[in-house]
PDB file of all heavy atoms in Angstrom:
ATOM      1  N   GLU A 134      29.685 -35.943  42.926  1.00 73.00           N
ATOM      2  CA  GLU A 134      28.880 -34.770  42.573  1.00 73.00           C
ATOM      3  C   GLU A 134      28.836 -33.765  43.704  1.00 73.00           C
ATOM      4  O   GLU A 134      28.858 -32.570  43.487  1.00 73.00           O
ATOM      5  CB  GLU A 134      27.460 -35.184  42.204  1.00 73.00           C
ATOM      6  CG  GLU A 134      27.338 -35.749  40.820  1.00 73.00           C
ATOM      7  CD  GLU A 134      25.899 -36.041  40.449  1.00 73.00           C
ATOM      8  OE1 GLU A 134      25.034 -36.115  41.344  1.00 73.00           O
ATOM      9  OE2 GLU A 134      25.639 -36.198  39.253  1.00 73.00           O
ATOM     10  N   GLU A 135      28.767 -34.270  44.934  1.00 72.00           N
ATOM     11  CA  GLU A 135      28.696 -33.390  46.099  1.00 72.00           C
ATOM     12  C   GLU A 135      29.971 -32.566  46.239  1.00 72.00           C
ATOM     13  O   GLU A 135      29.935 -31.391  46.575  1.00 72.00           O
ATOM     14  CB  GLU A 135      28.488 -34.240  47.353  1.00 72.00           C
ATOM     15  CG  GLU A 135      28.289 -33.450  48.618  1.00 72.00           C
ATOM     16  CD  GLU A 135      28.052 -34.373  49.800  1.00 72.00           C
ATOM     17  OE1 GLU A 135      27.145 -35.215  49.723  1.00 72.00           O
ATOM     18  OE2 GLU A 135      28.790 -34.251  50.779  1.00 72.00           O
ATOM     19  N   ASN A 136      31.102 -33.187  45.945  1.00 72.00           N
ATOM     20  CA  ASN A 136      32.388 -32.511  46.114  1.00 72.00           C
ATOM     21  C   ASN A 136      32.891 -31.854  44.843  1.00 72.00           C
ATOM     22  O   ASN A 136      33.964 -31.271  44.834  1.00 72.00           O
ATOM     23  CB  ASN A 136      33.445 -33.506  46.625  1.00 72.00           C
ATOM     24  CG  ASN A 136      33.141 -33.975  48.014  1.00 72.00           C
ATOM     25  OD1 ASN A 136      32.595 -33.242  48.825  1.00 72.00           O
ATOM     26  ND2 ASN A 136      33.474 -35.218  48.307  1.00 72.00           N
ATOM     27  N   LYS A 137      32.100 -31.932  43.773  1.00 68.00           N
ATOM     28  CA  LYS A 137      32.542 -31.423  42.470  1.00 68.00           C
ATOM     29  C   LYS A 137      32.958 -29.958  42.539  1.00 68.00           C
ATOM     30  O   LYS A 137      33.988 -29.572  42.010  1.00 68.00           O
ATOM     31  CB  LYS A 137      31.432 -31.613  41.436  1.00 68.00           C
ATOM     32  CG  LYS A 137      31.805 -31.170  40.051  1.00 68.00           C
ATOM     33  CD  LYS A 137      30.751 -31.564  39.039  1.00 68.00           C
ATOM     34  CE  LYS A 137      29.455 -30.854  39.314  1.00 68.00           C
ATOM     35  NZ  LYS A 137      28.455 -31.067  38.252  1.00 68.00           N
ATOM     36  N   ASN A 138      32.166 -29.137  43.179  1.00 55.00           N
ATOM     37  CA  ASN A 138      32.465 -27.711  43.224  1.00 55.00           C
ATOM     38  C   ASN A 138      33.246 -27.306  44.462  1.00 55.00           C
ATOM     39  O   ASN A 138      33.721 -26.182  44.555  1.00 55.00           O
ATOM     40  CB  ASN A 138      31.166 -26.910  43.153  1.00 55.00           C
ATOM     41  CG  ASN A 138      30.503 -27.060  41.810  1.00 55.00           C
ATOM     42  OD1 ASN A 138      31.177 -27.202  40.808  1.00 55.00           O
ATOM     43  ND2 ASN A 138      29.187 -27.050  41.788  1.00 55.00           N
ATOM     44  N   LYS A 139      33.372 -28.204  45.431  1.00 59.00           N
ATOM     45  CA  LYS A 139      34.067 -27.845  46.664  1.00 59.00           C
ATOM     46  C   LYS A 139      35.579 -27.843  46.483  1.00 59.00           C
ATOM     47  O   LYS A 139      36.257 -26.932  46.887  1.00 59.00           O
ATOM     48  CB  LYS A 139      33.680 -28.810  47.793  1.00 59.00           C
ATOM     49  CG  LYS A 139      32.268 -28.612  48.278  1.00 59.00           C
ATOM     50  CD  LYS A 139      31.976 -29.547  49.421  1.00 59.00           C
ATOM     51  CE  LYS A 139      30.546 -29.383  49.887  1.00 59.00           C
ATOM     52  NZ  LYS A 139      30.193 -30.353  50.910  1.00 59.00           N
ATOM     53  N   ASN A 140      36.085 -28.904  45.913  1.00 55.00           N
ATOM     54  CA  ASN A 140      37.538 -29.049  45.784  1.00 55.00           C
ATOM     55  C   ASN A 140      37.924 -29.177  44.325  1.00 55.00           C
ATOM     56  O   ASN A 140      37.782 -30.232  43.733  1.00 55.00           O
ATOM     57  CB  ASN A 140      38.017 -30.305  46.533  1.00 55.00           C
ATOM     58  CG  ASN A 140      37.676 -30.257  47.995  1.00 55.00           C
ATOM     59  OD1 ASN A 140      37.754 -29.216  48.605  1.00 55.00           O
ATOM     60  ND2 ASN A 140      37.293 -31.394  48.559  1.00 55.00           N
ATOM     61  N   LYS A 141      38.382 -28.102  43.765  1.00 58.00           N
ATOM     62  CA  LYS A 141      38.858 -28.152  42.389  1.00 58.00           C
ATOM     63  C   LYS A 141      40.322 -28.607  42.408  1.00 58.00           C
ATOM     64  O   LYS A 141      41.090 -28.222  43.280  1.00 58.00           O
ATOM     65  CB  LYS A 141      38.774 -26.765  41.747  1.00 58.00           C
ATOM     66  CG  LYS A 141      37.366 -26.223  41.717  1.00 58.00           C
ATOM     67  CD  LYS A 141      36.864 -26.182  40.336  1.00 58.00           C
ATOM     68  CE  LYS A 141      35.470 -25.593  40.381  1.00 58.00           C
ATOM     69  NZ  LYS A 141      34.729 -25.830  39.243  1.00 58.00           N
ATOM     70  N   ILE A 142      40.675 -29.440  41.455  1.00 55.00           N
ATOM     71  CA  ILE A 142      42.050 -29.922  41.365  1.00 55.00           C
ATOM     72  C   ILE A 142      42.912 -28.813  40.777  1.00 55.00           C
ATOM     73  O   ILE A 142      42.575 -28.212  39.767  1.00 55.00           O
ATOM     74  CB  ILE A 142      42.130 -31.179  40.480  1.00 55.00           C
ATOM     75  CG1 ILE A 142      41.310 -32.298  41.102  1.00 55.00           C
ATOM     76  CG2 ILE A 142      43.572 -31.609  40.279  1.00 55.00           C
ATOM     77  CD1 ILE A 142      41.207 -33.536  40.234  1.00 55.00           C
ATOM     78  N   LYS A 143      44.016 -28.556  41.433  1.00 61.00           N
ATOM     79  CA  LYS A 143      44.946 -27.549  40.927  1.00 61.00           C
ATOM     80  C   LYS A 143      46.131 -28.258  40.279  1.00 61.00           C
ATOM     81  O   LYS A 143      46.745 -29.133  40.869  1.00 61.00           O
ATOM     82  CB  LYS A 143      45.433 -26.657  42.071  1.00 61.00           C
ATOM     83  CG  LYS A 143      44.341 -25.818  42.667  1.00 61.00           C
ATOM     84  CD  LYS A 143      44.855 -24.942  43.767  1.00 61.00           C
ATOM     85  CE  LYS A 143      43.687 -24.181  44.376  1.00 61.00           C
ATOM     86  NZ  LYS A 143      44.112 -23.365  45.505  1.00 61.00           N
ATOM     87  N   PHE A 144      46.412 -27.874  39.045  1.00 61.00           N
ATOM     88  CA  PHE A 144      47.528 -28.453  38.323  1.00 61.00           C
ATOM     89  C   PHE A 144      48.691 -27.472  38.350  1.00 61.00           C
ATOM     90  O   PHE A 144      48.516 -26.274  38.171  1.00 61.00           O
ATOM     91  CB  PHE A 144      47.141 -28.742  36.863  1.00 61.00           C
ATOM     92  CG  PHE A 144      46.130 -29.840  36.727  1.00 61.00           C
ATOM     93  CD1 PHE A 144      44.781 -29.549  36.593  1.00 61.00           C
ATOM     94  CD2 PHE A 144      46.526 -31.164  36.741  1.00 61.00           C
ATOM     95  CE1 PHE A 144      43.853 -30.553  36.465  1.00 61.00           C
ATOM     96  CE2 PHE A 144      45.595 -32.179  36.619  1.00 61.00           C
ATOM     97  CZ  PHE A 144      44.257 -31.876  36.484  1.00 61.00           C
ATOM     98  N   ILE A 145      49.886 -28.014  38.581  1.00 67.00           N
ATOM     99  CA  ILE A 145      51.081 -27.184  38.556  1.00 67.00           C
ATOM    100  C   ILE A 145      52.130 -27.865  37.689  1.00 67.00           C
ATOM    101  O   ILE A 145      52.154 -29.096  37.563  1.00 67.00           O
ATOM    102  CB  ILE A 145      51.639 -26.924  39.979  1.00 67.00           C
ATOM    103  CG1 ILE A 145      51.946 -28.244  40.692  1.00 67.00           C
ATOM    104  CG2 ILE A 145      50.685 -26.100  40.801  1.00 67.00           C
ATOM    105  CD1 ILE A 145      52.666 -28.085  41.999  1.00 67.00           C
TER     106      ILE A 145
END
Side-chain angles (χ1 to χ4, degrees):
E134 282 185 343
E135 185 178 306
N136 293 327
K137 182 172 65 172
N138 293 327
K139 289 182 182 175
N140 301 322
K141 300 249 182 197
I142 298 174
K143 294 181 183 177
F144 292 97
I145 57 172

